[in-house]
Amino acid sequence: MDELRVLDDPAAVEAALSPVRAAILDALAEPASAAAVAAAVGSTRQKVNYHLRALEAHGLVELVEERTWGGITERVLRRSARRLMASPDLVQRTAAGPDEVSDRRSAAYLVAVNARAVAEVGAMANPAEAGTRVPTLTIDTVIGFASPEDRAAFAADLQSAVAALAARYHHDDGRPHRLTVSSYPRPKESS
């Protein structure tokens, strides 16, 4: 099972968003048969089988094993990924990319950069390329700035440090990697 799958097919997203199918996907966090899923979601095995076929057709569930009991074959399935995310490109194929946002310090620019990252990395990590590991680096931390001046000074220092590191390690004939660094106020945590 993949950790995360970015869906770029509108039909797959539609299938995953159906409340009945979403409940079935939740029930398939661990492998289960249609009968077990039906009991978990409060439906009939026949209805669950119908929805399972649709989910399987979109690659949202996968066969784990088949068990034969007498003349009956029971299929055991699980979700194909722990988490599903819709690609930002689904909403608008010509969504504004970072180059189309003039204010580099705006929320629109930050969202465009991160939407591009989700779409690009999601496409590279597509199950069709199974076995291929995407080399990534993620840094995630929280910094409490005492003042806007401290935040601005930190941004300038970080920009200088990243520019120096990029200059030291960049090779024109190397494999290009995209590096993004984002900062925004952390939302208040619900209690």
Side-chain angles (χ1 to χ4, degrees), residues 27-28 30-43 45 48 52 67 74-76:
L28 287 172
E30 297 296 326
S33 67
V37 172
V41 300
S43 186
R45 183 184 50 78
V48 166
L52 284 171
R67 302 176 188 154
E74 178 183 57
R75 300 178 79 228
V76 177

Side-chain angles (χ1 to χ4, degrees), residues 48-65:
V48 166
N49 265 325
Y50 167 80
H51 292 296
L52 284 171
R53 281 192 294 279
L55 292 168
E56 193 172 14
H58 293 292
L60 301 174
V61 299
E62 59 192 15
L63 182 65
V64 174
E65 68 176 303

Side-chain angles (χ1 to χ4, degrees), residues 50-113:
Y50 167 80
H51 292 296
L52 284 171
R53 281 192 294 279
L55 292 168
E56 193 172 14
H58 293 292
L60 301 174
V61 299
E62 59 192 15
L63 182 65
V64 174
E65 68 176 303
E66 289 184 330
R67 302 176 188 154
T68 304
W69 304 21
I72 299 171
T73 301
E74 178 183 57
R75 300 178 79 228
V76 177
L77 301 150
R78 70 173 176 203
R79 33 184 321 148
S80 58
R82 290 190 200 292
R83 300 280 180 257
L84 300 172
M85 176 182 285
S87 174
D89 293 342
L90 282 178
V91 177
Q92 188 176 359
R93 291 279 180 201
T94 58
D99 295 337
E100 298 172 33
V101 180
S102 59
D103 183 357
R104 298 288 195 240
R105 293 187 175 152
S106 69
Y109 184 72
L110 173 67
V111 170
V113 166

Side-chain angles (χ1 to χ4, degrees), residues 16-27:
L17 287 176
S18 156
V20 172
R21 292 178 182 165
I24 290 170
L25 286 169
D26 286 343

